[in-house]
């Protein structure tokens, strides 16, 4: 890694390692000499009102990241130092900030919200007293009103922002800013291009109220220079809609389909900000998707155009190449166990494009599985703590390059995933499509030699070990739209199996096979799974009277007069009474193994597990829904290959763009009662909910004692 320098000066930031005489993570220094052991002799710069270098010391070269003078000056103005590393961990945004020009549009953190504005000046901050001083750099930003005009009330001086205050960047030439946003001083400036990936990390972060835009769904017009026929849209596409008055709004398509009173295709768009007369995803009294009030706009699909802020002009010569992506900042190499992402930080760290785990070469099965297991749950963190036989053991690679990076930075590059795939011991994991359960078994059993997650006991008292559980049953045994609880209950009972102990992690494979066949068109997720009646040699309560159960009857499972689909266990008295009925006299109840020390009238504790992720598949592509906290609406959708950047039409040099979206509507749907869910029509649900119900492949549960969200 070569150090960058303007002239003879070379600068760096400390990214890892323990503090040594003033040097700590986030500190900025200047290279004074390169030692023979690969160490650097450097001077430390402090923040505050001046950039005077302080006495430094020796720091390991691998614990630093090289900076240009311009980058060092921008980061020096960022405080505290931890925010500098956070900014560097978003190389796409930082790269765009480093090339900001006058009149470029930015969105900055201001007070308690976000405010759009125009960059007016790049300001040197501090007083240069000595030759070696490094002055800080900040941005003077002039706020823009909601009608896309510069605010007439110009503060004197203009507010000053650091690089860490900027959350979005749009170059002036790519927005097509009119004369109102330009002045004579800015005309003719030669601006460097900033691509979509380098400039807009999260389109959903701006929150501002736009007034005076009435009935946009009735008064929209298509931008004449863009034809939608050349840009086919899908759910998740970023679009713009222009009203007849010339006002343009931007957003993401959340729903597509035909409204009841229309024959043409319409789009439900979640706008970047609130607009008068817009809804929360409701149209004509029906909920098509869920978002904040005032952000849902419904328009004919023909009125949508690709978001012009992201379209490069035809004459653009500078094209982003895959090799132009800034390198990922190295993590501090310690044995620290980074905890799962807290619920309060998940949205800010994870939501957006180039977030999560970047897909590459048939890796979606692995990306979705790893993100589901490790982003917000620690139920399988023990696999990362296996003793390392060598410095480059696979458990260390999993922990350092994937789990820690995901939890700290919110992004894992494809290179890290590929290095991990190469260590799985089979070449097919590097090139071919796989199933999640095959990957999980290979990783836990053959590679990490981890004890099985599931211990099952059959009716003949033989034990079986497994890492995942495959649902096996006849379609006629359950309703047309079963719940996961019903499927697992019936499958285990039909196979004569019980859990010997409560598993810390239960991964349940739905009854679907191959790319096309699935036994049920829709499956209702059980957010809480009651495992009490599926435990071997564990006390259970009588289905009728609630006393200690002593018998279980598999034949009563489907009895329509006894709540079909529910496991039936009885005390001796109730067993006799129930089976005096002529239709049940042929049943063969089985005696249960009941602990001798449990009183017959003692209350039976219920053992429950919580759903924390769902893997889904559609046309050979795996995605996942992940619950990132205890809140009922805390759901995320992750796709490691949501989009693709293909520079100059050369797919060989292209790369996939992962994306994470917040899906509170999933939580709203699953918060309904069992009766409401049983009556719900999945085809009328919003796109994320419909996808969850129809494409579910594997459900991931964790025990209550392991569900540690911070």
């Amino acid at each position: 890694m070569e150090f960058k320098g303007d002239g003879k000066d070379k600068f760096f930031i400390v990214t890892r390692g323990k503090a040594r005489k003033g040097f700590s993570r986030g500190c900025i220094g200047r290279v004074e000499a390169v030692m023979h052991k690969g160490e650097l002799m450097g001077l430390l710069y402090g923040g505050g009102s001046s950039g005077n270098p302080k006495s430094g010391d020796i720091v390991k070269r691998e614990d630093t990241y090289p900076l240009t003078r311009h980058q060092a000056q921008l980061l020096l103005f960022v405080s505290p130092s931890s925010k500098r590393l956070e900014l560097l961990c978003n190389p796409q945004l930082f790269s765009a900030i480093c090339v900001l020009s006058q009149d470029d549009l930015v969105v900055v953190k201001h007070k308690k919200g976000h405010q759009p504005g125009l960059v007016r000046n790049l300001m040197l901050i501090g007083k240069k007293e000595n030759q070696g001083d490094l002055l800080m750099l900040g941005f003077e930003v002039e706020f823009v009103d909601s009608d896309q005009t510069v605010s007439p009330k110009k503060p004197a001086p203009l507010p000053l922002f650091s690089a860490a205050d900027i959350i979005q960047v749009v170059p002036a030439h790519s927005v097509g800013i009119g004369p109102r946003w330009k002045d004579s001083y800015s005309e003719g400036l030669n601006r460097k291009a900033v691509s979509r990936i380098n400039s807009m990390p999260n389109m959903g972060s701006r929150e501002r109220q736009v007034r005076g835009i009435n009935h946009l769904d009735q008064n929209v017009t298509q931008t004449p220079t863009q034809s939608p026929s050349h840009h086919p849209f899908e759910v998740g596409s970023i679009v713009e809609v222009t009203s007849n008055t010339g006002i343009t709004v931007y957003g993401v398509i959340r729903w597509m389909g035909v409204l009841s009173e229309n024959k043409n295709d319409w789009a439900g768009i979640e706008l970047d900000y609130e607009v008068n007369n817009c809804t929360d995803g409701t149209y004509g009294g029906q909920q098509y998707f869920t978002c904040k009030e005032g952000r849902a706009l419904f328009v004919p699909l023909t009125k949508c155009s690709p978001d012009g802020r992201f379209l490069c002009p035809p004459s653009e010569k500078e094209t982003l190449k895959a090799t132009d992506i800034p390198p990922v900042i190295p993590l501090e190499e310690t044995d620290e166990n980074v905890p799962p992402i807290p619920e309060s930080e998940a949205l800010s760290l994870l939501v957006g494009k180039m977030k999560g785990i970047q897909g590459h070469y048939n890796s979606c099965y692995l990306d979705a599985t790893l993100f589901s297991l490790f982003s917000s749950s620690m139920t399988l963190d023990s696999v990362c703590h296996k003793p390392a036989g060598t410095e480059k053991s696979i458990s260390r690679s999993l922990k350092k390059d994937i789990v820690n990076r995901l939890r700290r930075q919110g992004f894992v590059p494809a290179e890290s995933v590929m290095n991990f795939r190469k260590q799985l011991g089979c070449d097919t994991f590097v090139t071919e499509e796989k199933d999640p359960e095959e990957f999980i078994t290979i990783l836990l059993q053959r590679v990490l030699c981890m004890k099985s997650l599931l211990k099952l006991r059959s009716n003949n008292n033989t034990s079986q070990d497994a890492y995942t559980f495959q649902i096996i049953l006849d379609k006629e045994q359950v309703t047309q739209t079963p719940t996961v609880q019903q499927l697992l209950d019936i499958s285990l009972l039909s196979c004569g199996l019980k859990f010997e102990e409560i598993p810390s992690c239960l991964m349940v494979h739905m009854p679907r096979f191959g790319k096309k066949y699935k036994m049920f068109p829709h499956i209702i997720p059980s957010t809480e799974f009651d495992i009490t009646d599926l435990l071997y040699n564990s006390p259970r309560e009588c289905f009728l009277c609630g006393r200690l159960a002593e018998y279980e009857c598999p034949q009563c499972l489907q009895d329509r007069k006894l709540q079909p689909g529910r496991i039936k266990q009885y005390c001796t008295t109730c067993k006799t009474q129930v089976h005096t009925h002529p239709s049940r006299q042929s049943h063969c109840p089985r005696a249960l193994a009941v602990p001798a020390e449990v009183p017959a009238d003692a209350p039976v504790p219920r053992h429950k597990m919580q759903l924390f992720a769902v893997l889904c598949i559609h046309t050979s592509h795996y995605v996942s829904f992940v619950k990132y906290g205890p809140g009922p609406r805390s759901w995320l959708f992750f796709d490691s290959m949501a989009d693709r950047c293909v520079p100059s039409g050369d797919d060989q040099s292209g790369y996939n763009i992962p994306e994470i979206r917040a899906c509170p509507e999933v939580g709203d749907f699953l918060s309904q009662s069992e009766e409401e869910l049983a009556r719900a029509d999945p085809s009328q649900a919003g796109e994320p909910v419909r996808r969850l119900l129809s494409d579910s492949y594997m459900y991931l549960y964790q025990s209550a004692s392991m569900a540690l969200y911070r």
Side-chain angles (χ1 to χ4, degrees):
M1 184 166 53
E2 294 298 325
F3 274 78
K4 310 169 185 180
D6 300 333
K8 62 181 181 179
D9 291 333
K10 298 179 180 179
F11 301 90
F12 61 88
I13 183 171
V14 180
T15 60
R16 56 190 176 188
K18 298 181 180 179
R20 298 177 62 184
K21 293 187 178 181
F23 275 120
S24 59
R25 296 183 71 235
C27 290
I28 294 174
R30 187 183 72 206
V31 178
E32 291 296 294
V34 179
M35 312 300 288
H36 67 282
K37 294 182 179 180
E39 297 178 322
L40 302 176
M41 174 73 75
L43 292 178
L44 169 68
Y45 285 96
S49 59
S50 65
N52 306 106
K54 301 178 181 179
S55 59
D57 199 65
I58 296 175
V59 62
K60 293 182 179 180
R61 186 168 186 155
E62 60 266 26
D63 291 343
T64 66
Y65 184 77
L67 302 171
T68 65
R69 172 182 285 272
H70 183 73
Q71 292 171 335
Q73 290 178 287
L74 287 173
L75 292 174
L76 196 59
F77 191 42
V78 175
S79 180
S81 59
S82 59
K83 287 190 175 181
R84 299 170 184 167
L85 294 175
E86 291 177 10
L87 183 57
L88 280 176
C89 287
N90 192 338
Q92 293 79 24
L93 176 62
F94 186 56
S95 174
I97 293 173
C98 290
V99 294
L100 277 174
S101 301
Q102 193 174 35
D103 284 336
D104 281 346
L105 176 64
V106 295
V107 179
V108 296
K109 299 176 185 176
H110 182 61
K111 295 182 179 179
K112 293 185 178 181
H114 303 106
Q115 178 71 39
L118 297 177
V119 175
R120 288 308 189 192
N121 295 296
L122 184 63
M123 301 295 293
L124 283 170
I125 302 163
K127 183 178 180 181
K128 191 169 185 177
E129 299 175 348
N130 302 302
Q131 183 66 29
D133 291 351
L134 184 70
L135 299 187
M136 298 176 285
L137 282 177
F139 299 93
E140 278 191 340
V141 176
E142 186 171 2
F143 292 145
V144 175
D145 288 337
S146 59
D147 60 353
Q148 298 184 344
T149 59
V150 174
S151 174
K153 298 180 181 180
K154 298 183 179 179
L158 293 174
L160 194 62
F161 296 91
S162 73
D165 295 322
I166 299 173
I167 62 172
Q168 293 182 9
V169 176
V170 184
H173 68 273
S174 68
V175 187
I177 296 176
R180 289 178 298 176
W181 281 7
K182 293 186 179 181
D183 56 24
S184 58
Y185 181 78
S186 65
E187 292 291 341
L189 284 177
N190 181 20
R191 302 177 182 84
K192 183 177 180 180
V194 181
S195 76
R196 169 183 177 182
I197 301 303
N198 276 11
S199 60
M200 301 294 286
N202 182 3
M203 284 306 305
S205 58
R206 184 168 66 190
E207 297 180 3
R208 59 189 177 99
Q209 180 74 21
V210 179
R211 304 188 180 277
I213 306 179
N214 296 319
H215 304 291
L216 270 171
D217 54 330
Q218 302 295 329
N219 300 297
V220 293
T221 181
Q222 184 179 315
T223 306
T225 59
Q226 297 167 349
S227 172
S229 62
H230 299 297
H231 300 275
F233 298 117
E234 59 184 16
V235 173
S237 295
I238 303 175
V239 297
E240 65 180 43
V241 178
T242 304
S243 70
N244 289 336
T245 59
I247 296 177
T248 301
V249 291
Y250 305 91
V252 178
I253 294 179
R254 294 301 186 204
W255 172 87
M256 291 173 60
V258 178
L259 297 175
S260 57
E261 70 273 20
N262 298 284
K263 295 183 178 180
N264 297 324
D265 288 334
W266 278 55
I269 304 170
E270 182 179 353
L271 301 176
D272 289 356
Y273 38 81
E274 297 175 11
V275 172
N276 286 351
N277 298 309
C278 288
T279 70
D280 62 350
T282 304
Y283 187 92
Q286 183 173 343
Q287 191 88 36
Y288 290 91
F289 65 96
T290 304
C291 65
K292 290 184 178 180
E293 181 66 38
R295 291 198 180 190
L297 172 66
F298 290 86
V299 296
L301 195 58
T302 56
K303 303 298 183 181
C304 298
S305 301
D307 193 327
R309 297 172 298 180
F310 296 145
L311 295 178
C312 296
S315 59
E316 186 64 63
K317 294 182 179 179
E318 293 184 301
T319 306
L320 179 70
K321 299 179 181 179
T323 55
D324 293 335
I325 302 177
V328 177
I329 306 304
L331 286 173
E332 183 177 10
E333 292 189 15
T334 67
D335 292 330
E336 177 187 1
N337 299 321
V338 180
I341 301 168
E343 183 180 33
S344 59
E345 300 175 12
L347 293 180
S348 60
L349 180 65
L350 291 175
V351 172
K353 290 185 178 291
M354 294 302 283
K355 296 290 186 178
I357 302 175
Q358 186 179 29
H360 176 66
Y361 211 75
N362 297 328
S363 70
C364 62
Y365 73 93
L366 184 144
D367 308 326
T369 303
L370 291 177
F371 184 83
S372 299
L373 289 173
F374 296 108
S375 60
S376 296
S377 171
M378 60 184 305
T379 184
L380 280 187
D381 276 17
S382 59
V383 304
C384 301
H385 308 154
K386 299 287 291 183
T390 64
E391 186 176 344
K392 295 183 179 180
S393 68
I394 188 170
S395 61
R396 183 175 183 274
S397 176
L398 175 63
K399 175 181 177 179
K400 171 181 172 291
D401 298 330
I402 295 180
V403 177
N404 283 2
R405 191 177 294 282
L406 176 64
R407 292 175 176 178
R408 282 181 174 173
Q409 302 180 1
F411 175 70
V412 179
E415 293 81 4
S416 296
V417 180
M418 180 56 74
N419 290 337
F420 175 73
R421 293 167 73 183
K422 291 178 180 178
Q423 298 180 62
L424 290 173
C426 181
D427 292 341
T428 58
F429 277 99
V430 180
T431 58
E432 297 180 6
E433 296 180 4
K434 296 288 183 179
D435 294 325
E437 69 273 15
E438 181 182 2
F439 162 62
I440 291 169
T441 302
I442 291 292
L443 175 65
L444 301 184
Q445 181 181 23
R446 299 185 186 178
V447 178
L448 296 177
C449 300
M450 182 179 177
K451 292 183 179 179
S452 59
L453 298 174
L454 309 179
K455 293 185 179 297
L456 301 168
R457 176 69 66 95
S458 65
N459 287 338
N460 58 9
N461 282 330
T462 59
S463 295
Q464 304 175 25
D465 293 341
Y467 293 90
T468 63
F469 184 80
Q470 169 71 61
I471 295 291
I472 301 175
L473 43 64
D474 294 328
K475 189 174 183 180
E476 295 73 21
Q477 291 181 273
V478 292
T479 60
Q480 184 177 3
T481 306
T483 66
V484 177
Q485 177 85 54
Q486 292 170 345
L487 292 174
L488 196 51
D489 284 352
I490 296 173
S491 179
L492 282 165
L493 195 61
S494 301
C495 297
L497 296 173
K498 289 288 190 295
F499 291 107
E500 289 190 358
E501 59 187 19
I502 302 174
S504 61
C505 181
L506 173 59
M507 293 178 270
V508 187
H509 186 192
M510 292 299 102
R512 58 181 302 162
F513 309 97
K515 302 175 182 178
K516 297 180 180 180
Y517 174 76
K518 52 184 178 181
M519 185 175 290
F520 304 99
H522 300 98
I523 296 174
I524 303 296
S526 301
T527 56
E528 195 172 56
F529 173 67
D530 193 333
I531 199 173
T532 309
D533 297 335
L534 299 173
L535 293 173
Y536 174 76
N537 198 24
S538 178
R540 296 156 62 180
E541 65 180 21
C542 175
F543 175 73
L544 295 177
C545 69
R547 292 172 62 84
L548 186 66
E550 300 173 83
Y551 294 89
E552 178 182 69
C553 183
Q555 289 84 3
C556 285
L557 184 68
Q558 297 303 322
D559 195 312
R560 295 185 178 181
K561 297 179 181 180
L562 293 173
Q563 296 188 23
R566 293 284 301 276
I567 294 179
K568 312 300 189 307
Q569 60 270 335
Y570 309 100
C571 64
T572 301
T573 302
C574 291
K575 184 262 297 186
T576 303
Q577 292 177 348
V578 166
H579 290 91
T580 57
H581 193 281
S583 65
R584 305 188 191 104
Q585 290 179 359
S586 61
H587 291 189
C588 299
R590 297 191 297 239
L592 295 174
V594 181
E597 67 276 7
V598 180
D601 56 351
V604 176
R606 309 303 298 183
H607 303 287
K608 298 181 179 181
M609 304 186 72
Q610 286 70 43
L611 177 68
F612 70 92
V614 183
L615 294 174
C616 296
I617 183 174
H618 183 69
T619 60
S620 302
H621 182 60
Y622 288 95
V623 297
S624 65
F625 290 87
V626 174
K627 197 169 189 300
Y628 63 87
R633 307 183 83 226
S634 300
W635 282 91
L636 296 172
F637 170 77
F638 167 63
D639 186 349
S640 65
M641 302 179 182
D643 202 352
R644 185 165 178 80
C645 179
V646 184
S648 305
D650 180 15
D651 190 65
Q652 294 297 320
S653 62
Y655 54 91
N656 292 311
I657 301 171
E659 181 181 15
I660 300 175
R661 300 201 305 262
C663 293
E665 59 267 41
V666 170
D668 293 338
F669 180 85
L670 297 180
S671 296
Q672 300 179 90
S673 65
E674 289 186 15
E675 294 74 16
E676 291 173 322
L677 288 173
R679 295 193 303 266
D681 183 359
S683 63
Q684 298 300 315
E687 189 271 339
V689 175
R690 195 165 59 246
R691 190 168 188 177
L692 172 64
L693 301 184
S694 63
D695 296 342
S696 60
Y697 183 87
M698 181 180 287
Y699 285 83
L700 279 60
Y701 290 87
Q702 58 189 359
S703 65
S705 60
M706 297 296 292
L708 301 179
Y709 292 102
R710 292 184 61 185

